[in-house]
Short mmCIF file of all heavy atoms in Angstrom, two decimals:
data_model
loop_
_atom_site.label_atom_id
_atom_site.label_comp_id
_atom_site.label_asym_id
_atom_site.label_seq_id
_atom_site.Cartn_x
_atom_site.Cartn_y
_atom_site.Cartn_z
N LEU A 169 116.67 93.31 99.87
CA LEU A 169 118.11 93.44 99.41
C LEU A 169 119.04 93.01 100.62
O LEU A 169 120.11 93.65 100.76
CB LEU A 169 118.46 94.92 99.09
CG LEU A 169 117.45 95.44 97.95
CD1 LEU A 169 117.89 96.87 97.67
CD2 LEU A 169 117.58 94.53 96.77
N THR A 170 118.66 91.83 101.27
CA THR A 170 119.67 91.29 102.28
C THR A 170 120.72 90.60 101.55
O THR A 170 120.58 90.24 100.39
CB THR A 170 118.87 90.58 103.32
OG1 THR A 170 118.19 89.46 102.52
CG2 THR A 170 118.01 91.21 104.12
N GLY A 171 121.62 90.19 102.24
CA GLY A 171 122.78 89.33 101.63
C GLY A 171 124.17 89.71 102.19
O GLY A 171 125.09 89.01 101.91
N GLU A 172 124.07 90.82 102.94
CA GLU A 172 125.41 91.05 103.64
C GLU A 172 124.93 91.21 105.21
O GLU A 172 123.86 91.08 105.52
CB GLU A 172 125.98 92.38 103.21
CG GLU A 172 125.03 93.70 103.49
CD GLU A 172 125.81 94.92 103.36
OE1 GLU A 172 127.01 94.97 103.28
OE2 GLU A 172 125.15 96.01 103.58
N SER A 173 125.96 91.53 105.95
CA SER A 173 125.65 91.94 107.44
C SER A 173 124.72 93.03 107.43
O SER A 173 125.21 94.14 106.84
CB SER A 173 126.91 92.21 108.07
OG SER A 173 126.63 92.52 109.51
N GLU A 174 123.56 92.84 107.72
CA GLU A 174 122.44 93.87 107.52
C GLU A 174 122.80 95.21 108.25
O GLU A 174 122.44 96.25 107.70
CB GLU A 174 121.05 93.30 107.94
CG GLU A 174 119.90 94.20 107.76
CD GLU A 174 119.66 94.63 106.31
OE1 GLU A 174 120.12 93.89 105.44
OE2 GLU A 174 118.88 95.61 105.92
N ILE A 175 123.29 95.14 109.39
CA ILE A 175 123.44 96.34 110.08
C ILE A 175 124.90 96.53 110.43
O ILE A 175 125.59 95.58 110.92
CB ILE A 175 122.64 96.26 111.47
CG1 ILE A 175 121.22 95.96 111.24
CG2 ILE A 175 122.88 97.55 112.37
CD1 ILE A 175 120.46 96.97 110.44
N CYS A 176 125.43 97.64 110.04
CA CYS A 176 126.78 97.98 110.30
C CYS A 176 126.92 98.57 111.70
O CYS A 176 125.94 98.72 112.47
CB CYS A 176 127.39 98.96 109.19
SG CYS A 176 126.67 100.65 109.19
N LYS A 177 128.09 99.06 111.94
CA LYS A 177 128.31 99.63 113.41
C LYS A 177 127.22 100.75 113.77
O LYS A 177 126.91 100.81 114.95
CB LYS A 177 129.60 99.99 113.67
CG LYS A 177 130.59 98.91 113.56
CD LYS A 177 132.06 99.39 113.83
CE LYS A 177 133.08 98.22 113.83
NZ LYS A 177 134.44 98.72 114.05
N LEU A 178 127.01 101.54 112.83
CA LEU A 178 126.03 102.70 113.02
C LEU A 178 124.61 102.25 112.91
O LEU A 178 123.74 103.09 113.10
CB LEU A 178 126.36 103.83 112.03
CG LEU A 178 127.74 104.46 112.28
CD1 LEU A 178 127.86 105.50 111.19
CD2 LEU A 178 127.71 105.15 113.60
N GLY A 179 124.42 101.00 112.62
CA GLY A 179 122.93 100.54 112.48
C GLY A 179 122.33 100.96 111.13
O GLY A 179 121.11 100.88 111.08
N ILE A 180 123.15 101.21 110.18
CA ILE A 180 122.66 101.61 108.90
C ILE A 180 122.88 100.52 107.89
O ILE A 180 123.96 99.91 107.82
CB ILE A 180 123.39 102.86 108.38
CG1 ILE A 180 123.13 103.93 109.33
CG2 ILE A 180 122.95 103.25 106.95
CD1 ILE A 180 124.09 105.25 109.05
N PRO A 181 121.73 100.03 107.20
CA PRO A 181 121.86 98.99 106.21
C PRO A 181 122.64 99.51 104.91
O PRO A 181 122.08 100.27 104.25
CB PRO A 181 120.38 98.65 105.99
CG PRO A 181 119.60 99.74 106.39
CD PRO A 181 120.35 100.43 107.40
N ARG A 182 123.90 99.12 104.77
CA ARG A 182 124.69 99.66 103.79
C ARG A 182 124.20 99.40 102.35
O ARG A 182 124.26 100.27 101.44
CB ARG A 182 126.19 99.21 103.91
CG ARG A 182 126.77 99.73 105.16
CD ARG A 182 128.10 99.06 105.54
NE ARG A 182 127.83 97.66 105.87
CZ ARG A 182 128.85 96.79 106.19
NH1 ARG A 182 129.99 97.21 106.23
NH2 ARG A 182 128.51 95.54 106.57
N VAL A 183 123.61 98.12 102.13
CA VAL A 183 123.23 97.74 100.83
C VAL A 183 122.02 98.57 100.37
O VAL A 183 121.93 99.16 99.30
CB VAL A 183 122.83 96.24 100.68
CG1 VAL A 183 122.14 95.87 99.45
CG2 VAL A 183 124.21 95.49 100.84
N LYS A 184 121.07 98.68 101.29
CA LYS A 184 119.90 99.55 100.94
C LYS A 184 120.20 100.95 100.76
O LYS A 184 119.59 101.65 99.83
CB LYS A 184 118.91 99.30 102.13
CG LYS A 184 118.34 97.83 102.27
CD LYS A 184 117.45 97.82 103.43
CE LYS A 184 116.95 96.31 103.81
NZ LYS A 184 116.28 96.15 104.98
N LEU A 185 121.02 101.50 101.59
CA LEU A 185 121.36 102.95 101.40
C LEU A 185 122.12 103.07 100.18
O LEU A 185 121.90 104.18 99.45
CB LEU A 185 122.35 103.31 102.56
CG LEU A 185 122.76 104.88 102.54
CD1 LEU A 185 121.53 105.71 102.49
CD2 LEU A 185 123.68 105.11 103.72
N GLY A 186 122.93 102.13 99.80
CA GLY A 186 123.65 102.19 98.52
C GLY A 186 122.79 102.14 97.29
O GLY A 186 122.90 102.88 96.26
N VAL A 187 121.81 101.35 97.41
CA VAL A 187 120.75 101.23 96.20
C VAL A 187 119.91 102.46 96.21
O VAL A 187 119.59 103.00 94.97
CB VAL A 187 119.78 100.11 96.53
CG1 VAL A 187 118.66 100.02 95.49
CG2 VAL A 187 120.59 98.73 96.33
#
Side-chain angles (χ1 to χ4, degrees):
L169 307 178
T170 54
E172 67 161 353
S173 177
E174 179 65 18
I175 306 297
C176 65
K177 291 183 179 180
L178 290 177
I180 300 172
R182 292 167 290 183
V183 170
K184 296 175 184 178
L185 182 60
V187 171

